[in-house]
Amino acid sequence: MIPLCLHVCIDPIPITKLTSLKTLNKLPHFLVVSPSRSESETDPSAKHGHPFYVIFSTASPQDSPTLHSATPSFHLSNTHHTTSSPPSRKLRGRIHNTSKFGNFLDLKPENQPEVLDFNLPWCHPADRARFDVIIIGAGPAGIRLAEQVSCYGIKVCCVDPDPLSMWPNNYGVWLDEFEKLGLEDCLDKTWPMACIYIDDRKTKYLDRCYGRVSRKKLKQKLVERCVSNGVRFYKAKAWQIEHQEFESTVLCDDGTELKGSLIVDASGFGSNFIEYDKLRNHGCQIAHGVLAEVDDHPFDLDKMVLMDWRDSHLGNEPYLRVSNSRFPTFLYAMPFSSNLIFLEETSLVSRPVLSYMEDEKCLIPMGGSLPRIPQNVMAIGGTSGVVHPSTGYMVARTMALAPVLAAAIAECLGSTRMVRGKQLYAKVWNSLWPIESRLTREFYSLEWRLC
């Protein structure tokens, strides 16, 4: 899912379903244009590498289409209830004359993904260096683990096709979780409380501060620590892993071979390096988000909207109501100001995955079987099963588990006796998934399977 910044200029068309630009282009009521240079330079999303679009409505309110609406779930904290009527889910704006822009449908987004400006210490194949740990993937899980393992003086190499590229997803966390990890300075926005709109008459408030992760701040902080600790980086795609008794080899797509005592897969859900004893019968959470610039919106600036299940905006549309009942989704909203808001529509979990969304989507496998424990390749992040099977949350938990896994690795590879091979694999896998954690995960997985 790639957040987009949209000028939503409507009067008063209800934004009741976030949809892709591809779909909007098919509707006669909307025209989509890419930005001018000046807009890209001043827009807050442009500095994060996201394309900036302007959406204009060419329809009157009477003949405008009704679009439809969901995000990650949560761990409940202290809650309060109210029966007062919450604000409507309508965004209001102005109709703009679009004749001066020409043919919008032929224009392309001017999207240049952002990369960190950083001098990384690269691994040179000619050096024939041998590493204690090779981590595949430079996402949040991979970089965090590299940072933690290297604190023990262990030789680490991180392999990724583009180690300096910014992470695309929008991450939300509870503030207290990041405070415990000393990462609270990596949030770019916090809200003193969160709320859940259950319906038009009932709202639940959570007295727990919520924050949005600054992907740039978090990655820069972790990469700086990696560099300070001597982590090496190699720019390539891991293609194959070969194992010997006490050593493994990562074959890269450029023909390079990297050798290490332990290989850790942090490359995400689509990896083929991790083995399973059972069928991966997971459910899927799917989300579709936009960063929207509007004339006004109905949400309180001091409350993050964790879930908005209301469907009164569907009006007298029986087909939409039936569809919404069969495949319920909710809106997740982060109001940054009275004119800027991040909106994400989410199907919490389904099996098989919902297919109503087209582009710019975030797909999160949830639940299903754990990887085989132990095995020759270690895992962390999405491929390790640490995604919460009921909510889809993972980032904060991964940040917290990396030090635990790093300590287990250091106990084996950082000692003078150098525990390697099967003993090493068993030690690290059981540190990530002790029996208590496996039972807890199974309980949560059973919960959504029964729903």
Side-chain angles (χ1 to χ4, degrees), residues 272-449:
N272 294 318
F273 297 133
I274 300 300
E275 299 176 354
Y276 295 79
D277 288 329
K278 299 178 182 179
L279 179 68
R280 297 181 66 182
N281 191 25
H282 53 251
C284 288
Q285 179 177 121
I286 186 168
H288 183 110
V290 294
L291 182 65
E293 186 173 292
V294 297
D295 286 347
D296 193 15
H297 63 74
F299 299 103
D300 293 335
L301 297 183
D302 64 345
K303 297 180 183 66
M304 181 271 169
V305 181
L306 202 59
M307 290 180 165
D308 187 345
W309 292 98
R310 294 173 291 176
D311 64 357
S312 58
H313 55 278
L314 298 180
N316 297 319
E317 297 287 347
Y319 171 76
L320 290 177
R321 283 191 174 277
V322 171
S323 178
N324 192 57
S325 297
R326 290 181 59 205
F327 306 108
T329 64
F330 62 89
L331 179 69
Y332 171 96
M334 291 178 164
F336 298 106
S337 70
S338 59
N339 304 112
L340 187 66
I341 184 168
F342 177 78
L343 302 166
E344 188 171 71
E345 193 72 11
T346 302
S347 163
L348 180 58
V349 61
S350 64
R351 188 171 57 190
V353 62
L354 292 186
S355 60
Y356 67 87
M357 298 180 185
E358 298 180 8
D359 302 322
E360 298 91 40
K361 65 187 178 184
C362 177
L363 181 64
I364 304 174
M366 294 167 58
S369 60
L370 282 174
R372 178 163 52 81
I373 299 174
Q375 57 181 287
N376 293 352
V377 178
M378 186 58 209
I380 192 171
T383 192
S384 68
V386 299
V387 176
H388 195 291
S390 294
T391 68
Y393 275 87
M394 179 182 67
V395 172
R397 188 179 182 200
T398 299
M399 295 295 111
L401 285 173
V404 177
L405 179 56
I409 293 173
E411 189 176 332
C412 295
L413 299 181
S415 63
T416 55
R417 58 194 180 97
M418 286 292 288
V419 176
R420 295 183 293 172
K422 292 182 179 180
Q423 285 183 284
L424 169 63
Y425 307 146
K427 178 73 175 179
V428 294
W429 270 105
N430 284 302
S431 71
L432 184 69
W433 282 112
I435 188 62
E436 297 83 0
S437 297
R438 297 183 215 179
L439 292 174
T440 300
R441 183 183 183 277
E442 182 61 25
F443 173 77
Y444 282 123
S445 297
L446 176 64
E447 181 181 20
W448 73 255
R449 286 199 298 267

Side-chain angles (χ1 to χ4, degrees), residues 227-304:
V227 172
S228 177
N229 295 339
V231 174
R232 297 287 174 178
F233 292 83
Y234 191 69
K235 190 173 183 177
K237 182 177 180 180
W239 194 256
Q240 187 178 345
I241 302 175
E242 296 178 349
H243 300 286
Q244 296 179 335
E245 185 177 3
F246 297 117
E247 185 177 72
S248 299
T249 303
V250 176
L251 284 70
C252 300
D253 60 352
D254 62 357
T256 299
E257 295 184 1
L258 302 173
K259 298 182 182 295
S261 297
L262 178 66
I263 311 300
V264 181
D265 184 7
S267 60
F269 300 111
S271 171
N272 294 318
F273 297 133
I274 300 300
E275 299 176 354
Y276 295 79
D277 288 329
K278 299 178 182 179
L279 179 68
R280 297 181 66 182
N281 191 25
H282 53 251
C284 288
Q285 179 177 121
I286 186 168
H288 183 110
V290 294
L291 182 65
E293 186 173 292
V294 297
D295 286 347
D296 193 15
H297 63 74
F299 299 103
D300 293 335
L301 297 183
D302 64 345
K303 297 180 183 66
M304 181 271 169

Side-chain angles (χ1 to χ4, degrees), residues 43-245:
D43 170 60
S45 73
K47 63 184 179 181
H48 294 292
H50 305 314
F52 180 104
Y53 292 89
V54 183
I55 291 185
F56 293 101
S57 167
T58 60
S60 65
Q62 289 74 26
D63 61 345
S64 62
T66 300
L67 307 176
H68 182 72
S69 290
T71 191
S73 173
F74 56 95
H75 165 71
L76 283 175
S77 59
N78 296 334
T79 60
H80 302 281
H81 303 271
T82 180
T83 56
S84 60
S85 296
S88 167
R89 284 174 59 171
K90 285 188 178 181
L91 306 180
R92 295 181 180 272
R94 301 180 301 274
I95 295 179
H96 287 242
N97 186 337
T98 62
S99 59
K100 64 179 180 179
F101 291 100
N103 188 352
F104 302 116
L105 303 186
D106 293 333
L107 298 177
K108 304 295 183 183
E110 299 173 358
N111 180 28
Q112 295 183 351
E114 185 185 12
V115 296
L116 286 180
D117 184 11
F118 215 91
N119 291 321
L120 291 180
W122 299 103
C123 168
H124 300 288
D127 297 340
R128 296 184 178 275
R130 184 189 174 284
F131 298 94
D132 297 315
V133 179
I134 298 175
I135 299 173
I136 300 172
I143 293 294
R144 173 66 167 170
L145 184 62
E147 175 249 340
Q148 288 292 309
V149 172
S150 59
C151 287
Y152 293 92
I154 293 173
K155 293 179 64 176
V156 178
C157 180
C158 186
V159 181
D160 189 274
D162 195 356
L164 289 174
S165 65
M166 292 305 302
W167 307 319
N169 291 343
N170 189 70
Y171 302 117
V173 297
W174 298 108
L175 175 61
D176 54 75
E177 293 178 327
F178 260 39
E179 285 178 333
K180 292 176 183 177
L181 300 171
L183 297 174
E184 67 273 13
D185 58 341
C186 296
L187 302 177
D188 57 15
K189 173 67 176 177
T190 59
W191 293 265
M193 61 191 310
C195 64
I196 303 169
Y197 293 111
I198 298 172
D199 55 36
D200 285 297
R201 296 179 303 278
K202 190 175 183 181
T203 304
K204 182 179 292 187
Y205 296 98
L206 290 80
D207 290 330
R208 194 179 183 190
C209 192
Y210 196 86
R212 188 181 81 154
V213 176
S214 169
R215 293 158 291 187
K216 184 173 184 178
K217 289 180 181 178
L218 181 59
K219 182 157 189 174
Q220 186 160 346
K221 183 171 186 173
L222 297 180
V223 168
E224 286 176 354
R225 290 179 177 177
C226 285
V227 172
S228 177
N229 295 339
V231 174
R232 297 287 174 178
F233 292 83
Y234 191 69
K235 190 173 183 177
K237 182 177 180 180
W239 194 256
Q240 187 178 345
I241 302 175
E242 296 178 349
H243 300 286
Q244 296 179 335
E245 185 177 3

